[in-house]
Amino acid sequence: MDEPLPIDTGTSAIGQVPVASEDPVAHVLIDHPVPHLARTFDYAVPEKFADTACPGVRVRVKFAGKLRDGFLLERVEKSEHIGPLATIERITSPVVVLTPELLRLATATARRYAGTLSDVLRLAIPPRHARAEKAVLKAEKAAQQQQSDSAAPTAGEAANSTSEGSASTSNTPTSTTTDTIGRLGEWVVNESAHDREDKFPAAEHPRIAMTCVPGPTPGLSWITAGLEAARATLAAGESVLWLVPDHRELAVLAAALDSSEDIGSYSVLSADQSPEQRWKAWLRGLLGHTRVTIGTRAAAFAPVEGLGLIICFDDSNSNYLDQHAPYPHAREVCLLRSTIDSTGLLFVSTDRSAEIQRLVEVGWLHDATPTGPERREGAPRVYVPDEERDPFAWQRIPSRAWQLMRGALRPRTKDTNAVGPVLVQVPRAGYYPVFACARCQEVARCPQCSATLTTQSEVGPFACRSCGFHSDTFSCGRCRSNQVRSIVRGRGRTVEELRKAMPGIEILESGGDDIPVAIDDSPRIVVATTGAEPYVLGGYACAILLDSLWPGPWMRSTDEGVSRRLRAAVLVRSRTAGGVVYLGDTDETIRNTVTTFDPVTTMSRALNDRMELGFPPYRRIVELTGAGADIDAMITAVPELTELIRDSDDDGQKAVAAYPIAAGDTVGEALAHLIASRSAKKLPQVRVRIDDPRSL
């Protein structure tokens, strides 16, 4: 005999707890690290939380016998669950932190990177800090009370009063460094004000890509361009979100905003902040206390009321790639956010990434890079080794480089170059751009084309940049030894040589844990590892870029080499101000790009080859790491995937597969479903990383 169907008697709660009279069912997203459990579950809304349990608030609920955090996504009238529901135990905070805009962005990001919504929200919303929240809400209430009592203060004045001291939330250097950074910011603002022209397009929400040259503000022309765009956006009554790669750029940008009278208050959001500082800055952006938010990768999801423009500086920087699941890239988050919220975009950099160049070529972004004559005038004069005319060009520091350094440090009347600091760039510690056999001292050469081999460590891998030869082992062509040694001196040895050759000249080291943000323009030598070059008030007079900086055997190695050189060369004054650069690279692509300061043309040519081969950015790639059989099952289950390479890995095997850009959401959702399904069946997991630059 068939059992009677259950009769719907309405929503009830376990323990006979009275529930809300209207919409008593809450869809709660559980913050859980296990993929198949990081989803929504139905809970009853107790009567006491009827008014405070709003969509977007943080809640605490019992799940599998433990209290867990979650987000209330929606309240509805009925649940598909039969029987009494567990209740919401606590409303963590009455503040609606998961806004509809942030929910759409987080959902799109999870779909793009085959992740869970919980993982994305963990990156997007900082942990709550009760004391910081009380302080912000108290200031908000005081400002509202002041506005209601008196019509004197305007909304902007109230925002300024509640956001006073926002810049203090960033990393605070020593007092001496702070003074230098403040002078640097004031110098940038004053120099940009002299020749200010309204070049930023007046069109509503323009999308722009720009490559900078030193110009009047060496190393900081990205701030000049960003300030111009920010002023236009603020004048239109909209807000600005500005991303930078690390705390050094953040400190200089904050100093420039402090010196700019027409920008007003701003918030700083960075992962380097304390939990209290970060939550306070995040809440003030959510409540609309400031119209400008600046920050590092952590600020890509930051709430900004009335957002009209997103500025991203140096989008190819590896710091923008998050190392937590689902491994999103801040550049892609900016692109998604601009599309969802219909905001303007400004990608400003010293180089040009492949992804941005593709968007320029398809017409999605407008290229505002300076023209040829303007670019050449704003760039420094670049010298390259001439092995035929200079018999000492092979030396560690060639004679021409010594002449340029002495001309900047000890000028004579006939010298035409500028006077000021000299930058000497050396490779990172432990980096072997050129190596030799440890037994016979023979320089390691490619067995196919005889060009010098390159490696990242003494154990490999070994590769040739000329013909593409790649090997995991090394064998000397003369004595067959497998041992190698570096023949490139590091930062310490370079400093010793410079002190012997130039006694009495101050030498400053920058690298490792000791990297100054900015220094003054006193004549001195700055020996810095790649990426640790300090900013200089007025720019460097000369830069000596030693040794070849090959990043390793991967598809974007030349892109990275060009980017590293341009980041250093752009810190030097323009040729009209006497700035000179000595470039020690032998790679023709790097030489041509730096001497012409034209990374756009270089990247455009590289994209033609990648388009023919179907490589990124014309297709998306996914890296799968795990057991071979599990990887096979994942690739077979998603027909859009085409396997490209497979190799051994510490965790088993690593496979890289490609798929069309148009199938991005479909593949992302399919992979996320497979991950959750395998998790529910307790099968071994396969790690998924989409569009990791180092996968190929």
Side-chain angles (χ1 to χ4, degrees), residues 354-355 358 555-556 606-622 640-645 656-661 691 696:
E355 289 76 11
R358 186 188 73 85
M555 187 185 72
R556 300 175 188 247
L607 286 186
N608 290 332
D609 298 333
R610 297 178 194 180
M611 181 171 58
E612 294 180 3
L613 297 172
F615 282 171
Y618 292 98
R619 283 200 296 177
R620 288 180 178 164
I621 57 173
V622 55
E640 292 85 357
L641 294 181
T642 302
E643 185 173 341
L644 300 179
I645 58 174
V656 178
Y659 58 97
I661 293 177
D691 282 347
L696 285 178

Side-chain angles (χ1 to χ4, degrees), residues 488-536:
V488 172
R489 301 179 182 92
R491 188 177 73 236
R493 181 61 183 273
T494 302
V495 170
E496 291 180 5
E497 291 183 3
L498 292 172
R499 283 180 177 154
K500 291 179 181 178
M502 294 186 173
I505 299 296
E506 179 187 358
I507 299 179
L508 174 68
E509 294 188 58
S510 179
D513 296 329
D514 187 11
I515 304 177
V517 177
I519 59 176
D520 58 34
D521 56 353
S522 303
R524 69 182 87 179
I525 298 177
V526 180
V527 182
T529 53
T530 306
E533 304 88 358
Y535 289 102
V536 173

Side-chain angles (χ1 to χ4, degrees), residues 385-408:
D386 188 346
E387 291 81 359
E388 296 181 358
R389 296 185 180 181
D390 184 0
F392 302 102
W394 58 272
Q395 292 181 337
R396 164 69 171 167
I397 302 180
S399 57
R400 184 57 173 158
W402 285 113
Q403 294 173 7
L404 295 175
M405 277 195 288
R406 291 191 177 97

Side-chain angles (χ1 to χ4, degrees), residues 352-407:
R352 176 58 60 84
S353 66
E355 289 76 11
I356 295 303
Q357 182 60 24
R358 186 188 73 85
L359 293 176
V360 168
E361 293 185 356
V362 300
W364 200 85
L365 287 173
H366 170 69
D367 195 355
T369 299
T371 60
E374 183 182 358
R375 188 176 63 250
R376 286 189 292 271
E377 183 179 352
R381 192 182 307 277
V382 180
Y383 296 92
V384 296
D386 188 346
E387 291 81 359
E388 296 181 358
R389 296 185 180 181
D390 184 0
F392 302 102
W394 58 272
Q395 292 181 337
R396 164 69 171 167
I397 302 180
S399 57
R400 184 57 173 158
W402 285 113
Q403 294 173 7
L404 295 175
M405 277 195 288
R406 291 191 177 97

Side-chain angles (χ1 to χ4, degrees), residues 382-383 385 396 398 401 423-427 528 533 542-549 561 564-570 572 580-585 590 594:
V382 180
Y383 296 92
R396 164 69 171 167
L423 172 65
V424 179
Q425 186 192 60
V426 296
E533 304 88 358
C542 173
I544 309 299
L545 310 183
L546 299 176
D547 304 324
S548 181
L549 298 179
R564 289 174 176 178
R565 288 312 203 189
L566 285 175
R567 288 174 197 165
V570 81
V572 183
V580 292
V581 171
Y582 184 88
L583 181 64
D585 282 272
I590 297 178
V594 178

